[in-house]
Amino acid sequence: MKLFTIGPVQMYSHTLSIKSKIVPYFRTPEFSEIMFNTDSMLKKIAGTSQSSKSVYLTASGTAAMEAAVINCFSSKDKLLVINGGSFGMRFSKICDVHCIPHEDIILSFGKTLGLEHMERFENKGFTGLLVNHNESSTGQLYDIKLIRDFCLKNNMCLIVDAISTFMCDPFNMDDFGIDVAIFSSQKGLCLSPGISIILVNEKTATARVEINKPRTLYFDFKDYFINIARGQTPFTPAVGILLELNDMLGRMLKTGVDKHLHAIAAKAVYFRSRIREIGARLPNYPLSNAITPIIFDKPLALGIFNFLKDNFDIFVNPCSGEMENYMLRISHIGNLTFDDYDMLINCIKEYYETVEVN
Ligand SMILES: *Cc1c(COP(=O)(O)O)cnc(C)c1O
């Protein structure tokens, strides 16, 4: 099996070997030590102060998005949501479910987010902004500095879902003016799905989280803040994935994050240089290194998706909505090499030879 998907990704053998071991009991000083070490490495790589607070949540990324929103905001806030695809839409639905007032900047497919979309929301009493740094459903990488400057000017709390940019694209929480950042184990971290992490800067922890009263037990960040101070979580975490995480971050610091990001970018550049050969083109908006959306002028996407799956045990990301049969997304994270992209391109060429395309 070969995964060109954005999560789960083709995992590395060192992670698979941790996965095969017994999951230890965790209410011990030894496990707390591992968590202290993990937490310090994570903050370093994320580019945030060690004084930022962290939440290690045993849940998928969506739960972390929801938890971040309900711990930082209430019905007294007014949020702006960048809604340029299915993950932006998810933030919008989270606000609806929790009765948090919001307005959406709806970007139709193919449009690049620019200042012109945001300007009319200036000085209108917005208190926070929700955005997916890479809207993975389209692969658009938003201009985070544009968003940061807008939030600073309007005194808005900036929550960034960096699930598909962290350890894929350059990311620096404090430089990017991000108040709350969200990561998930199965994307750029290349681990098993099941752990999501929320980093909250000190200012937001004090001014918002500590005084907020979200109606939730499992997702109450205050409890996580208290527990992580002793290297623990309030409830049983996905212990095995936390061990995968500790190993991955250690290796990352040894190799160098820049080197890791360059390798991903090189794979993206290589694959993108060859997509004409398979009759595909790129969209015009800025792209994350994590994933390449490829557009076909004919409705071939689902046929290719199934052909790769059924004949070669190869998985790429399909799309939903209006682009469902015209776009596929190919990931560049995980244990993939240039040879793997050659193979993928050859397999797609075989689709054209096997199936009559008109
Ligand atoms: C994958 C992803 C999520 C999380 O989805 P889950 O299925 O809940 O893990 C959230 N946001 C973005 C941008 C993603 O790529």
Side-chain angles (χ1 to χ4, degrees), residues 60-62 65 87 90 132 134 136 161 163-164 184 186-187:
S60 90
T62 304
M65 293 164 71
F87 291 105
R90 197 164 297 177
N132 319 89
N134 168 14
S136 332
D161 163 4
I163 290 175
S164 58
S184 211
Q186 80 276 22
K187 301 277 171 80

Side-chain angles (χ1 to χ4, degrees), residues 49-271:
S49 156
Q50 292 290 327
S51 66
S52 291
K53 306 270 185 177
S54 31
V55 174
Y56 293 82
L57 209 57
T58 294
S60 90
T62 304
M65 293 164 71
E66 184 165 13
V69 170
I70 64 174
N71 276 276
C72 295
F73 304 115
S74 71
S75 57
K76 297 192 189 90
D77 284 283
K78 185 172 152 191
L79 306 183
L80 191 58
V81 179
I82 312 289
N83 181 345
S86 56
F87 291 105
M89 170 87 81
R90 197 164 297 177
F91 264 139
S92 181
K93 284 184 182 160
I94 289 168
C95 294
D96 288 339
V97 166
H98 295 282
C99 302
I100 298 172
H102 66 99
E103 282 192 52
D104 292 11
I105 294 178
I106 296 175
L107 271 190
S108 52
F109 180 77
K111 292 275 181 300
T112 302
L113 179 74
L115 192 56
E116 69 276 16
H117 297 108
M118 304 170 72
E119 271 168 342
R120 66 192 175 93
F121 297 97
E122 285 211 54
N123 301 317
K124 297 267 161 56
F126 286 93
T127 55
L129 187 145
L130 308 178
V131 66
N132 319 89
H133 190 188
N134 168 14
E135 170 50 79
S136 332
S137 68
T138 65
Q140 178 165 171
L141 182 71
Y142 295 129
D143 181 347
I144 198 72
K145 292 184 177 151
L146 182 82
I147 296 169
R148 169 195 65 190
D149 293 348
F150 179 83
C151 288
L152 282 175
K153 204 166 154 195
N154 292 281
N155 197 23
M156 291 158 78
C157 172
L158 174 57
I159 294 199
V160 175
D161 163 4
I163 290 175
S164 58
T165 44
F166 182 57
M167 290 192 27
C168 309
D169 298 293
F171 184 85
N172 190 303
M173 179 168 162
D174 294 353
D175 283 357
F176 290 176
I178 296 171
D179 294 304
V180 178
I182 303 167
F183 312 140
S184 211
S185 54
Q186 80 276 22
K187 301 277 171 80
L189 284 160
C190 306
L191 311 173
S192 309
I195 287 283
S196 297
I197 306 157
I198 303 107
L199 293 177
V200 183
N201 67 11
E202 214 174 357
K203 181 185 75 181
T204 309
T206 313
R208 291 188 166 273
V209 178
E210 298 286 1
I211 55 172
N212 205 354
K213 294 193 177 66
R215 292 167 69 92
T216 175
L217 177 100
Y218 191 80
F219 296 110
D220 191 339
F221 285 1
K222 292 188 281 298
D223 209 359
Y224 288 81
F225 291 172
I226 292 167
N227 275 278
I228 198 66
R230 60 181 182 112
Q232 291 286 325
T233 51
F235 314 105
T236 309
V239 178
I241 306 172
L242 290 175
L243 295 176
E244 294 174 19
L245 176 64
N246 182 266
D247 164 74
M248 183 59 85
L249 296 175
R251 286 169 189 273
M252 204 49 53
L253 284 176
K254 227 182 237 167
T255 321
V257 179
D258 285 349
K259 200 168 159 196
H260 177 76
L261 297 183
H262 278 129
I264 297 170
K267 285 186 269 182
V269 167
Y270 177 67
F271 177 70

